[in-house]
Amino acid sequence: MPELPEVETIRRTLAQHVNGLKIKEVKLVWSSAVISWEDQPFEVLVADRQIQRIDRRGKYLLIRLDNDLTLIAHMRMTGRLNYYTEKQPPDKHTHVVFCLDKGEVHFSDVRKFGRIQAIPTSRSISDSSLGKLGPEPLELEFTPQVLKERFGKKKVSVKAALLDQHVLAGLGNIYVDESLFQARISPNRTVDSLTEEELAELHQAIRNVLQAGIDAQGTSFRDYRDANGEKGSFERALQVYGRGGEPCKVCGQKLERVRLAGRTTVYCSQCQK
């Protein structure tokens, strides 16, 4: 599932091609992939609008169009937005084609969980799930004190808390496991047991790991690609995620693989206390 670094990479690579272009036509191959506004046909509502810029909020892409319209794209498990310089036949997993005045953008999704929602820009926060998201972990306003406040007095595991998008936006299984390893904190710990020092270390680890993920243009195990169809390379730097049963790169101990918060979790019981 694309997490913050992957979605940010898609935003950057897509914006390079489409900012300032006009959507001439929308072709719906699978109509359930889109959600329109007030019963207006999606393809009619979106056509003839100019792409002004592309923003990101957590794991969501926000494609800002003129005349107060935003497209909120959520990739879910296997969604992709690919740009093509010329007309391209849709493949079997392509659900929406945005025909631009220069090239095309295809939204494809093997698992069919991803969605693109059209909503007035002025209501994109109040009338969508964006309004419930926690703070952005790479913004200056996100401090160790903010992390502590977002955790509150919860008795849940730190793994579960960090996966909760209402607590912090953008983190998923990959970057939570990696952040906890870098902070040397066991994913089994409850958030109310973390000391001030541990919170500060976790805060810094989250920022470090996410920035490293962005610098590597994301993690491409299976489906993720950027808007140019290119893979990321962060999987080469992974310390624990996907490595259950293998030796820890720091201490050599066999990495533990457990189920936490409904997700497979990998950690080192020697390094992470």
Side-chain angles (χ1 to χ4, degrees):
M1 179 180 190
E3 302 178 28
L4 188 156
E6 289 75 42
V7 178
E8 176 62 20
T9 301
I10 294 171
R11 185 196 71 78
R12 295 181 181 187
T13 52
L14 188 59
Q16 291 173 357
H17 299 295
V18 305
N19 278 0
L21 298 184
K22 179 174 284 189
I23 300 172
K24 305 293 287 185
E25 182 185 5
V26 179
K27 298 178 181 178
L28 297 184
V29 181
W30 183 55
S31 60
S32 295
V34 301
I35 303 169
S36 195
W37 177 258
E38 292 187 342
D39 298 325
Q40 299 182 65
F42 182 91
E43 60 271 39
V44 174
L45 183 63
V46 174
D48 293 323
R49 293 182 185 261
Q50 185 184 53
I51 300 171
Q52 298 183 320
R53 69 179 191 278
I54 303 179
D55 298 326
R56 180 193 54 77
R57 182 73 172 94
K59 301 178 186 179
Y60 295 84
L61 273 184
L62 310 177
I63 303 172
R64 308 294 194 183
L65 308 182
D66 62 2
N67 296 320
D68 191 41
L69 192 70
T70 289
L71 302 182
I72 303 176
H74 196 188
M75 304 296 106
R76 298 288 181 182
M77 298 294 292
T78 57
R80 292 187 192 176
L81 280 168
N82 289 114
Y83 175 79
Y84 300 99
T85 57
E86 299 178 349
K87 186 177 292 186
Q88 184 84 6
D91 64 28
K92 65 179 181 179
H93 298 302
T94 297
H95 307 315
V96 187
V97 177
F98 297 91
C99 303
L100 311 177
D101 47 12
K102 182 181 177 182
E104 295 182 341
V105 173
H106 290 208
F107 175 65
S108 61
D109 187 4
V110 174
R111 300 285 295 275
K112 290 188 170 182
F113 293 151
R115 294 293 183 270
I116 299 179
Q117 177 185 4
I119 189 169
T121 300
S122 56
R123 303 180 69 167
S124 59
I125 299 298
S126 61
D127 289 26
S128 75
S129 54
L130 298 180
K132 299 177 181 178
L133 295 177
E136 287 286 326
L138 289 178
E139 300 225 336
L140 292 176
E141 293 80 7
F142 176 62
T143 64
Q145 181 59 34
V146 169
L147 180 61
K148 180 180 180 179
E149 292 169 359
R150 300 303 297 181
F151 281 162
K153 301 295 183 181
K154 292 181 173 63
K155 299 291 184 180
V156 300
S157 70
V158 65
K159 174 68 182 276
L162 289 175
L163 287 175
D164 186 346
Q165 299 302 294
H166 300 158
V167 172
L168 197 58
L171 287 166
N173 212 29
I174 297 173
Y175 297 97
V176 169
D177 278 6
E178 292 298 305
S179 296
L180 288 171
F181 178 79
Q182 189 173 121
R184 302 175 68 86
I185 295 171
S186 169
N188 295 290
R189 293 272 302 276
T190 57
V191 293
D192 63 335
S193 73
L194 299 178
T195 66
E196 297 286 341
E197 182 180 358
E198 287 172 327
L199 285 166
E201 290 174 351
L202 179 57
H203 166 268
Q204 190 59 54
I206 290 169
R207 292 172 68 92
N208 290 345
V209 168
L210 289 176
Q211 188 58 58
I214 293 171
D215 293 343
Q217 297 187 299
T219 305
S220 292
F221 272 122
R222 292 173 289 274
D223 301 283
Y224 162 71
R225 301 290 187 277
D226 67 17
N228 297 319
E230 300 294 331
K231 293 182 177 182
S233 60
F234 190 64
E235 66 273 10
R236 301 172 191 167
L238 294 174
Q239 298 295 304
V240 288
Y241 179 83
R243 299 189 60 245
E246 298 179 26
C248 173
K249 294 180 180 180
V250 173
C251 73
Q253 179 160 306
K254 179 179 173 180
L255 295 174
E256 303 285 340
R257 183 194 290 114
V258 298
R259 195 81 173 167
L260 270 177
R263 307 297 301 276
T264 298
T265 301
V266 180
Y267 71 104
C268 177
S269 59
Q270 179 68 29
C271 293
Q272 294 172 256
K273 302 299 184 181

